[in-house]
């Protein structure tokens, strides 16, 4: 009877996670949903992680490993996995995370019971607003991306139709917030999304992860993402445009704060601040500003909009308050 269920492809990109990947793959091998394939993409790891992946493929026929000849990044690794996927559905799992045995079974059952296009589960290991089990419309799902909630800007913890994922490849020139762009593009193509708050996916925070990449310029590719989303929303989804503009203001403000806190040479810092000021001015609207959750955050946006020098002073004061134990 299990074989009558559709095949689910699980894509696992791997890069230098030797200490974590065994637990990740073991949690996938323990899935109660048996008709699956696990496509592990080793993105030219330099540790022993690739050997661990090969060992799993040798003892479990559902696992296959693709070794990339050179490191290409998370988006490229995922895209390679998607190209190899044979399943009717696709799910993503990061190789430093792990999942509950019922992850795929629950996500698939949720699709069947609700008739939704995408199903989402709760996440352990991260803070975020809890939501009730429900089915959400396209517009509601897009807004949930902005307001974090159970989406957390991440491709993982979800089950998608394979054709939908293949229509929305990950942007290989983006090294931060690539999941945000993927989710926006995918959600634009659906009618309904189902959510169950049961925590079936566990995020593991580690200093060496891609989300903690110290390369500031690579992180700044996130700005390409929010610019692209706002441009598209202005045409296709004007009802949620202020929400994404609010997110853009927040992202540009936070990058500007980081530029100040990195203590670069003054000239370099102010070149970044000018760049981020242009972004704030591009996405600014009174409605988007009003959506920012804190008065202090709104003040910082207005300072950056008005004067990079004023923002620099405000950020230095804010950093001093933080060091003294302030909020």
């Amino acid at each position: 009877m299990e074989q009558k269920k559709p095949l689910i492809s699980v894509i696992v990109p791997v890069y230098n996670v030797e200490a974590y990947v065994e637990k990740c793959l073991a949690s996938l091998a323990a899935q109660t949903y048996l008709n699956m394939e696990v496509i592990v993409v080793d993105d030219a790891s330099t540790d022993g992680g690739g050997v661990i992946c090969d060992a799993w493929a040798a003892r479990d026929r559902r696992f296959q490993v693709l070794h990339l000849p050179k490191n290409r990044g998370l988006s490229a690794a995922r895209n390679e996995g998607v190209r190899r996927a044979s399943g009717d559905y696709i799910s993503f799992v990061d190789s430093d995370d792990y999942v509950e045995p019922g992850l795929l079974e629950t996500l698939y059952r949720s699709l069947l019971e609700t008739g939704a296009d995408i199903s989402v589960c709760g996440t352990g290991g991260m803070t975020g607003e809890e939501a009730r089990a429900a089915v959400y419309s396209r517009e509601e799902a897009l807004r949930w991306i902005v307001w974090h909630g159970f989406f957390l800007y991440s491709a993982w913890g979800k089950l998608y139709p394979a054709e939908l994922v293949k229509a929305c490849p990950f942007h290989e020139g983006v090294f931060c917030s690539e999941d945000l762009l993927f989710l926006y593009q995918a959600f634009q193509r659906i009618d309904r999304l189902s959510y169950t708050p049961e925590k079936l996916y566990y995020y593991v925070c580690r200093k060496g992860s891609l989300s903690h990449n110290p390369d500031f310029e690579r992180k700044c590719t996130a700005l390409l993402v929010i610019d692209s989303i706002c441009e598209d929303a202005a045409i296709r989804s004007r009802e949620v445009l202020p929400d994404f503009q609010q997110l853009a203001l927040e992202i540009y403000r936070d990058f500007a704060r980081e530029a100040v806190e990195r203590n670069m040479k003054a000239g370099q810092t102010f070149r970044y601040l000018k760049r981020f000021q242009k972004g704030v001015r591009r996405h600014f609207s009174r409605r988007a500003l009003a959506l920012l959750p804190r008065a202090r955050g709104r003040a910082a946006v207005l300072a950056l909009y008005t004067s990079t020098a004023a923002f620099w002073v405000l950020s230095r004061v804010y950093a001093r308050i933080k060091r003294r134990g302030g909020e």
Side-chain angles (χ1 to χ4, degrees):
M1 184 174 180
E2 179 69 34
Q3 294 302 315
K4 293 181 179 179
K5 292 183 178 180
L7 179 67
I8 295 178
S9 300
V10 183
I11 313 299
V12 185
V14 173
Y15 180 68
N16 289 354
V17 287
E18 182 179 4
Y20 302 88
V21 68
E22 175 71 28
K23 184 173 183 177
C24 173
L25 298 183
S27 72
L28 288 171
Q31 289 298 295
T32 58
Y33 191 101
L34 302 180
N35 194 24
M36 68 169 186
E37 62 175 6
V38 180
I39 303 174
V40 182
V41 184
D42 175 21
D43 192 18
S45 296
T46 57
D47 62 3
V51 175
I52 295 173
C53 297
D54 287 337
W56 271 101
R59 66 177 180 263
D60 191 325
R61 61 182 179 80
R62 297 173 300 172
F63 286 70
Q64 56 179 286
V65 183
L66 170 64
H67 295 281
L68 301 185
K70 64 178 181 178
N71 181 256
R72 293 171 54 193
L74 176 62
S75 292
R78 282 175 171 167
N79 287 340
E80 288 294 342
V82 169
R83 278 190 278 271
R84 289 214 170 192
S86 302
D88 301 288
Y89 295 93
I90 290 177
S91 189
F92 296 98
V93 174
D94 282 358
S95 52
D96 46 359
D97 300 334
Y98 61 97
V99 300
E100 290 288 347
L103 172 74
L104 297 181
E105 187 75 53
T106 301
L107 290 176
Y108 175 65
R109 185 172 65 248
S110 180
L111 290 183
L112 288 184
E113 292 176 352
T114 65
D117 304 289
I118 296 174
S119 58
V120 183
C121 69
T123 304
M126 294 188 76
T127 58
E129 181 184 343
E130 293 290 342
R132 59 183 176 81
V135 177
Y136 295 86
S137 68
R138 178 193 298 114
E139 182 178 331
E140 289 170 330
L142 288 168
R143 282 205 166 93
W144 267 109
I145 296 177
V146 177
W147 300 107
H148 304 272
F150 50 89
F151 290 117
L152 301 169
Y153 302 170
S154 301
W156 41 254
K158 303 167 180 66
L159 185 63
Y160 314 84
E163 63 269 21
L164 176 62
V165 175
K166 292 179 180 182
C168 305
F170 290 88
H171 193 313
E172 297 186 15
V174 170
F175 301 97
C176 187
S177 296
E178 62 273 22
D179 285 16
L180 173 60
L181 181 59
F182 168 77
L183 289 182
Y184 174 81
Q185 293 173 336
F187 289 1
Q188 283 285 11
R189 291 169 165 80
I190 67 171
D191 293 319
R192 298 195 299 171
L193 178 146
S194 65
Y195 171 69
T196 176
E198 186 177 356
K199 292 182 178 180
L200 301 171
Y201 190 104
Y202 287 87
Y203 171 79
V204 176
C205 182
R206 60 185 182 88
K207 291 182 179 180
S209 67
L210 290 173
S211 60
H212 293 82
N213 193 316
D215 187 328
F216 194 45
E217 195 56 40
R218 283 169 70 92
K219 286 184 69 174
C220 285
T221 57
L223 305 176
L224 300 175
V225 170
I226 193 60
D227 288 347
S228 174
I229 288 174
C230 286
E231 182 178 341
D232 184 87
I235 299 171
R236 290 203 290 171
S237 300
R238 294 195 62 83
E239 68 280 2
V240 298
L241 177 59
D243 299 270
F244 283 102
Q245 288 176 323
Q246 172 272 327
L247 180 60
L249 296 181
E250 193 174 63
I251 290 173
Y252 272 99
R253 177 203 66 202
D254 291 347
F255 270 81
R257 279 179 176 166
E258 184 173 348
V260 174
E261 292 172 359
R262 279 178 174 258
N263 293 317
M264 298 178 283
K265 292 181 179 180
Q268 187 178 13
T269 298
F270 277 92
R271 281 194 293 274
Y272 272 116
L273 291 182
K274 284 290 185 184
R275 175 179 172 185
F276 302 148
Q277 182 185 61
K278 289 181 180 178
V280 165
R281 289 177 174 177
R282 176 180 179 182
H283 299 295
F284 186 87
S285 73
R286 291 185 180 276
R287 186 175 176 188
L289 182 69
L291 287 172
L292 285 167
R294 295 187 179 183
R296 182 180 292 172
R298 293 192 290 272
V301 167
L302 288 171
L304 183 57
Y305 181 94
T306 305
S307 166
T308 55
F311 180 85
W312 185 88
V313 171
L314 188 64
S315 295
R316 300 291 289 185
V317 171
Y318 174 75
R320 191 174 298 116
I321 293 173
K322 283 178 65 178
R323 285 196 298 269
R324 291 178 179 176
E327 183 176 336

